[in-house]
Amino acid sequence: MAHGLSLVVLGALLLGPVQSLSGRVPGVEGRQIAPGNGPFGGGITILSDNHLDNKPKNGSAALLIHRQASYAAALNLCETLGEGLWNSNMAKFTDGLNNSLSYQSFIGAVSPGQLFWTGNSGNATADCRAMDIQGNTKPADCTLELPALCTQSAPVSSQANNTATSYLVNHQVGKQVYTGYRDAFVWKFRAIRYAAQPTRFEHSTLFEPNGATPIPALTSKADCLQRVGEVQSGSGEDCLFLNVWTPSLPQHALNSSQAAIKPSLKPVMFYVYGGGFTSGTSNNGNADGTNLASRGDVVAVTPNYRVSTLGWMAFDDGVHNGNYGLGDLINALTWVQKNIKDLGGDPEKVTIFGESAGAMLVRALLASPKAQGLFYAAISMSGPTGLSPNEHGSTSYYNSINFEFERTSKSILTKMGCWNATNQLACMRQVNATELIYIDNVANSLVQDGTLLTSRTLPLNSSTSGYTANVTFMTGTNRDELGVDIDPIPIDANLTDLFTRRLPGNVGDLSRFLRSPLFSPTSPSPQDILNATIRIATDALYTCLEQATSYTASRHNAFKEVYSFQFNRTYNPPGYTKPHCDAPKTSDRPNGDPDAEYFKCHAGEKMIVFGNVLRAGLKDRDGLDVRFMQLAVDYWSAFARKRDPNPERGYLQARGYWGTLEETERVGRWVEAKEAGWRLLQWGGRQQGVVEGAQCEALGLGVGYFEGR
Ligand SMILES: *[C@@H]1O[C@H](CO)[C@@H](O)[C@H](O)[C@H]1NC(C)=O
Ligand SMILES: *[C@@H]1O[C@H](CO)[C@@H](O)[C@H](O)[C@H]1NC(C)=O
Ligand SMILES: *[C@@H]1O[C@H](CO)[C@@H](O)[C@H](O)[C@H]1NC(C)=O
Ligand SMILES: *[C@@H]1O[C@H](CO)[C@@H](O)[C@H](O)[C@H]1NC(C)=O
Ligand SMILES: *[C@@H]1O[C@H](CO)[C@@H](O)[C@H](O)[C@H]1NC(C)=O
Ligand SMILES: *[C@@H]1O[C@H](CO)[C@@H](O)[C@H](O)[C@H]1NC(C)=O
Ligand SMILES: *[C@@H]1O[C@H](CO)[C@@H](O)[C@H](O)[C@H]1NC(C)=O
Ligand SMILES: *[C@@H]1O[C@H](CO)[C@@H](O)[C@H](O)[C@H]1NC(C)=O
Ligand SMILES: *[C@@H]1O[C@H](CO)[C@@H](O)[C@H](O)[C@H]1NC(C)=O
Ligand SMILES: *[C@@H]1O[C@H](CO)[C@@H](O)[C@H](O)[C@H]1NC(C)=O
Ligand SMILES: *[C@@H]1O[C@H](CO)[C@@H](O)[C@H](O)[C@H]1NC(C)=O
Ligand SMILES: *[C@@H]1O[C@H](CO)[C@@H](O)[C@H](O)[C@H]1NC(C)=O
């Protein structure tokens, strides 16, 4: 899918060149490294008050040291981090630290009466002072053992630069120490290897290091080799890394005479990128996990997985069956199960979520018995579940290996000169990987391989045979997905040539629906023709079968609960160039007016659920973009926390998330799909029943589509 490609271009632009760190660990000599096995035992939480405006108030943040120590020892611990004790003379408690501490008490990390060491204006001879969660300070016995609040001077690290050489941390994960870093909001560990370099066309294997030397996890590493437009991205096939963003490093390795507070582990959000199965990267700045992890108080994880022919080519030898990229994700999830608690994440509360092809992979993980027990909830965002030119006419169904072999593998073998080889696999392992990704017909499809995917499609009826993960599922789309692929209509266009010429070429001729009064444009104006075209294509490729999925899954209890949504407020990310996907610019709202009509295209929800609109340098168009992002991040992280998108009142109050509290009380609960269908997500959202009902029926894709299949 062409639109997937621009994601990666964007990722590359935002991240800058990938730097190799082999052979050196930058900054190790600095005192900013807090040794994971040293006096902290690792336990440090970044307290930040993140309103997604990308401008934390000075003093709103602090570092909470879990270990309880005397005043002098606490001061020493802060200094080890290159900080001092947080000081009410230098920063205002109510600039956000009040929110952070009331929240720490709300989650039970500290008791309501807990005292913390804070500073005394840098006057070492003054009384030792301690502060409570209301911000009252008082002198305290210097030998008391208390957790400390250190200053937090780490800046917002830009997504253009992850090569910071200060604010480093050494932290043990499994048996290996990694060097990560801290910014204003979270700890970051980039490019942790989760699988050994895979053998081409084999499933990857989990990587479990136990080296004595810390491994730097400071910059992104290579994308999985792919072609983005005419450009190669990724340098090779050694690409199975993941990134972790976490608000809290748990303590470990304290000896029994050292007391420490013990914040509970946080839910994990594991994001699967899209890119049409042919491109994509965990390093895309739009899906940077900083804001989601910090505002949502979750641990965000983004893995790379193999794409294009290297990720999906199936042979007919009965052994090399494709689905390598899916196997990579299962390994990454296994890595999470084994290791994420060392980074503050709860392995029993893993939510997988993905966009576009990433949503299709989420759906595949739901259907994969090999992924059983690796996650407890799933979110599918903008999965193209609808019509497609594959074996079963819909991407909701997996091709057979035979079909896929005939459709793509044969021509790949031929083009690479391996068709007549005595050993096609051996021949394909010899070919130049760059040349392999540059041929036109590449593998980009899941297959029913009998191991990772054992059924033809995700079973949506709990009574039918086949594996479906017993988890909570949330699924949805944007209102006008296909606007992303359809060019503006020229002024002189006429109706007859439009549908055949402008729909994405691979779903067959939908032009007959033009004659249906259900779709026909209200006028022959280019805007109305464009609208009708986008509408048919969006219904056919996205909306209808998404609705059918939640309808049948709800009726037949395929999952614990099903929630569904439709975004009617989007922000078109940079690099997505269709002008009709942008809110129109007016003199009042020069950055776009979201109250006006525009197409809510594919990918337009992504920066919103990651809270990254301002982080990416875009403007709040109408004063509601930031508030809507706050709401979306609060919905998504509530779902990760308790498998229900409605944030608890007490949570919002404790954190001082007053904007979300006000809006959620105004718009009411987001209820399960079986009760009231889709949740309309916009400012002033609400439940809405089935949309495009008659249109979907006319397309043969009504809500009952999956019934009885
Ligand atoms: C925050 O305030 C402190 C104390 O006034 C000052 O030393 C520091 O430079 C300020 N930091 C920023 C980023 O303004
Ligand atoms: C923290 O203080 C600010 C400023 O006074 C206030 O708006 C906010 O409600 C307080 N937070 C909590 C959780 O009470
Ligand atoms: C430091 O505190 C001591 C004891 O409270 C006081 O006598 C002294 O004047 C203070 N020094 C400064 C520089 O504030
Ligand atoms: C990245 O950060 C380092 C250290 O702070 C700095 O020296 C370098 O100039 C930055 N690079 C970019 C591209 O911003
Ligand atoms: C345990 O911690 C205490 C207090 O920090 C320290 O004095 C002692 O040496 C430690 N013991 C061991 C075995 O590390
Ligand atoms: C394979 O070999 C056959 C017989 O020699 C030949 O006719 C055919 O062209 C070859 N195909 C390719 C793709 O090289
Ligand atoms: C692979 O092919 C590319 C493009 O033709 C070429 O630049 C590169 O040197 C080749 N690599 C090897 C290892 O032959
Ligand atoms: C799903 O898990 C719940 C417990 O969370 C259990 O009660 C239920 O029986 C399970 N359903 C299936 C179909 O396994
Ligand atoms: C529509 O445009 C096509 C060329 O794109 C032209 O061949 C055809 O005659 C036009 N039909 C009408 C009714 O104008
Ligand atoms: C969707 O958003 C547009 C503004 O872009 C608004 O005019 C329209 O009423 C919204 N749709 C619904 C169903 O509220
Ligand atoms: C598309 O047409 C529908 C139905 O007439 C209308 O509600 C919607 O506002 C139009 N969308 C745009 C972006 O013009
Ligand atoms: C669900 O599965 C059961 C058992 O196979 C079957 O009897 C029933 O007809 C199915 N329902 C639908 C709507 O597919």
Side-chain angles (χ1 to χ4, degrees):
M1 260 171 270
H3 54 257
L5 303 178
S6 42
L7 287 181
V8 184
V9 174
L10 178 65
L13 289 176
L14 292 176
L15 281 159
V18 173
Q19 299 193 7
S20 164
L21 283 172
S22 54
R24 78 192 172 97
V25 181
V28 201
E29 71 290 344
R31 66 173 186 167
Q32 286 89 349
I33 289 211
N37 294 319
F40 296 88
I44 312 173
T45 296
I46 297 177
L47 302 180
S48 67
D49 186 44
N50 190 345
H51 296 284
L52 307 179
D53 52 9
N54 215 33
K55 286 197 203 86
K57 281 192 184 158
N58 187 12
S60 71
L63 300 173
L64 171 59
I65 308 298
H66 301 181
R67 189 188 140 192
Q68 295 174 224
S70 68
Y71 180 85
L75 184 58
N76 194 269
L77 290 172
C78 293
E79 283 171 354
T80 308
L81 294 165
E83 303 285 353
L85 280 163
W86 190 89
N87 190 323
S88 61
N89 292 338
M90 286 157 73
K92 215 167 135 199
F93 181 69
T94 51
D95 272 353
L97 191 56
N98 62 336
N99 294 334
S100 299
L101 288 183
S102 74
Y103 174 62
Q104 290 301 315
S105 164
F106 175 77
I107 60 175
V110 298
S111 67
Q114 182 68 53
L115 293 172
F116 307 86
W117 288 126
T118 51
N120 54 16
S121 315
N123 184 344
T125 60
D127 290 340
C128 300
R129 296 194 78 79
M131 186 171 78
D132 65 18
I133 66 169
Q134 277 86 36
N136 307 308
T137 64
K138 58 180 179 193
D141 176 350
C142 299
T143 63
L144 270 182
E145 300 218 323
L146 299 177
L149 293 170
C150 307
T151 55
Q152 153 64 321
S153 63
V156 177
S157 69
S158 91
Q159 52 198 15
N161 186 2
N162 291 300
T163 60
T165 52
S166 49
Y167 305 107
L168 302 187
V169 64
N170 275 347
H171 189 74
Q172 186 164 339
V173 181
K175 294 188 177 127
Q176 177 65 52
V177 174
Y178 291 91
T179 305
Y181 65 104
R182 143 167 76 99
D183 90 341
F185 298 114
V186 284
W187 302 102
K188 309 189 180 196
F189 292 82
R190 297 206 73 108
I192 293 181
R193 179 189 290 284
Y194 70 84
Q197 170 164 1
T199 302
R200 194 183 290 179
F201 310 123
E202 296 279 352
H203 284 298
S204 53
T205 53
L206 200 61
F207 179 67
E208 297 178 276
N210 57 1
T213 323
I215 296 179
L218 300 172
T219 60
S220 53
K221 288 215 176 88
D223 297 344
C224 287
L225 193 63
Q226 56 194 265
R227 170 184 160 187
V228 185
E230 286 311 309
V231 183
Q232 172 182 335
S233 176
S235 50
E237 295 168 68
D238 189 13
C239 61
L240 301 182
F241 304 100
L242 52 77
N243 303 314
V244 179
W245 291 265
T246 181
S248 184
L249 296 176
Q251 80 282 352
H252 54 82
L254 289 186
N255 73 41
S256 56
S257 67
Q258 294 173 321
I261 57 163
K262 286 196 170 56
S264 54
L265 297 174
K266 300 179 187 308
V268 177
M269 297 192 76
F270 179 98
Y271 180 72
V272 183
Y273 53 77
F277 296 94
T278 60
S279 66
T281 165
S282 64
N283 301 315
N284 187 318
N286 292 341
D288 180 286
T290 306
N291 282 331
L292 181 60
S294 116
R295 178 161 176 107
D297 199 32
V298 300
V299 177
V301 179
T302 62
N304 276 346
Y305 60 88
R306 281 174 281 173
V307 293
S308 191
T309 298
L310 294 166
W312 310 107
M313 180 173 174
F315 291 76
D316 65 351
D317 61 3
V319 179
H320 302 90
N321 291 335
N323 287 351
Y324 317 112
L326 180 61
D328 295 341
L329 290 170
I330 292 172
N331 271 329
L333 282 165
T334 305
W335 186 94
V336 166
Q337 281 301 307
K338 293 193 164 184
N339 295 297
I340 205 65
K341 64 177 185 316
D342 293 339
L343 289 157
D346 186 343
E348 293 182 358
K349 292 192 174 172
V350 177
T351 295
I352 55 172
F353 68 130
E355 189 261 352
S356 195
M360 300 314 291
L361 285 162
V362 163
R363 203 170 162 116
L365 289 166
L366 289 168
S368 178
K370 294 282 184 207
Q372 181 165 21
L374 300 180
F375 54 92
Y376 90 142
I379 307 175
S380 160
M381 294 154 45
S382 301
T385 44
L387 296 183
S388 106
N390 76 4
E391 188 173 5
H392 308 287
S394 150
T395 34
S396 297
Y397 292 85
Y398 307 123
N399 292 337
S400 63
I401 291 174
N402 190 44
F403 177 89
E404 193 54 27
F405 186 79
E406 294 293 324
R407 187 181 76 140
T408 54
S409 307
K410 262 187 175 171
S411 84
I412 295 169
L413 287 162
T414 304
K415 287 211 178 97
M416 300 316 295
C418 292
W419 178 249
N420 279 336
T422 45
N423 184 335
Q424 293 179 333
L425 178 72
C427 178
M428 283 297 291
R429 285 192 172 147
Q430 297 299 316
V431 305
N432 179 322
T434 301
E435 287 169 17
L436 186 60
I437 59 164
Y438 270 89
I439 61 176
D440 284 332
N441 195 14
V442 298
N444 61 358
S445 185
L446 290 160
V447 289
Q448 186 184 345
D449 63 356
T451 312
L452 271 56
L453 292 173
T454 51
S455 48
R456 213 162 56 103
T457 183
L458 172 67
L460 296 173
N461 173 356
S462 62
S463 314
T464 51
S465 64
Y467 176 80
T468 304
N470 185 11
V471 303
T472 301
F473 186 39
M474 187 156 105
T475 184
T477 59
N478 302 339
R479 193 190 64 180
D480 311 300
E481 298 278 358
L482 248 290
V484 79
D485 274 339
I486 296 177
D487 288 327
I489 306 291
I491 300 290
D492 58 355
N494 67 48
L495 279 183
T496 34
D497 70 344
L498 277 173
F499 285 85
T500 40
R501 280 185 39 206
R502 300 199 181 271
L503 280 182
N506 57 4
V507 294
D509 179 15
L510 296 175
S511 62
R512 64 202 157 96
F513 293 106
L514 174 65
R515 288 185 291 277
S516 159
L518 292 165
F519 288 109
S520 62
T522 46
S523 83
S525 72
Q527 177 69 10
D528 284 347
I529 296 170
L530 179 67
N531 190 336
T533 311
I534 290 175
R535 185 176 184 182
I536 293 183
T538 299
D539 285 352
L541 272 68
Y542 289 85
T543 309
C544 298
L545 291 194
E546 267 301 312
Q547 286 191 139
T549 296
S550 65
Y551 176 82
T552 293
S554 297
R555 283 192 62 186
H556 302 290
N557 303 312
F559 301 100
K560 285 188 199 300
E561 294 91 16
V562 177
Y563 293 91
S564 52
F565 58 87
Q566 183 185 51
F567 274 94
N568 184 39
R569 184 187 181 100
T570 53
Y571 209 131
N572 200 29
Y576 287 75
T577 54
K578 295 291 189 293
H580 48 250
C581 300
D582 289 321
K585 297 177 169 52
T586 63
S587 53
D588 282 354
R589 292 183 175 158
N591 298 305
D593 180 3
D595 287 337
E597 267 299 355
Y598 64 103
F599 294 101
K600 318 295 165 53
C601 299
H602 197 64
E605 87 294 7
K606 204 165 62 161
M607 306 182 83
I608 294 174
V609 305
F610 275 94
N612 282 342
V613 166
L614 266 58
R615 187 179 167 84
L618 301 176
K619 297 280 194 300
D620 187 329
R621 295 166 296 186
D622 62 347
L624 291 174
D625 280 324
V626 167
R627 294 182 71 184
F628 184 60
M629 279 198 295
Q630 293 172 352
L631 177 70
V633 168
D634 296 343
Y635 277 147
W636 257 237
S637 52
F639 184 77
R641 198 159 59 244
K642 60 196 179 74
R643 301 193 285 194
D644 170 348
N646 299 285
E648 316 87 305
R649 193 164 210 280
Y651 168 92
L652 297 173
Q653 286 171 330
R655 302 205 77 173
Y657 288 173
W658 306 118
T660 295
L661 182 61
E662 193 183 307
E663 179 68 357
T664 49
E665 303 220 317
R666 182 164 76 99
V667 299
R669 279 186 70 76
W670 176 341
V671 303
E672 287 179 47
K674 69 171 176 225
E675 291 169 45
W678 286 28
R679 182 79 190 182
L680 181 68
L681 292 177
Q682 60 183 12
W683 196 251
R686 61 180 178 274
Q687 296 296 139
Q688 60 182 357
V690 167
V691 298
E692 300 293 282
Q695 285 76 9
C696 291
E697 292 294 342
L699 288 164
L701 304 170
V703 285
Y705 180 86
F706 290 110
E707 293 289 302
R709 279 176 202 245

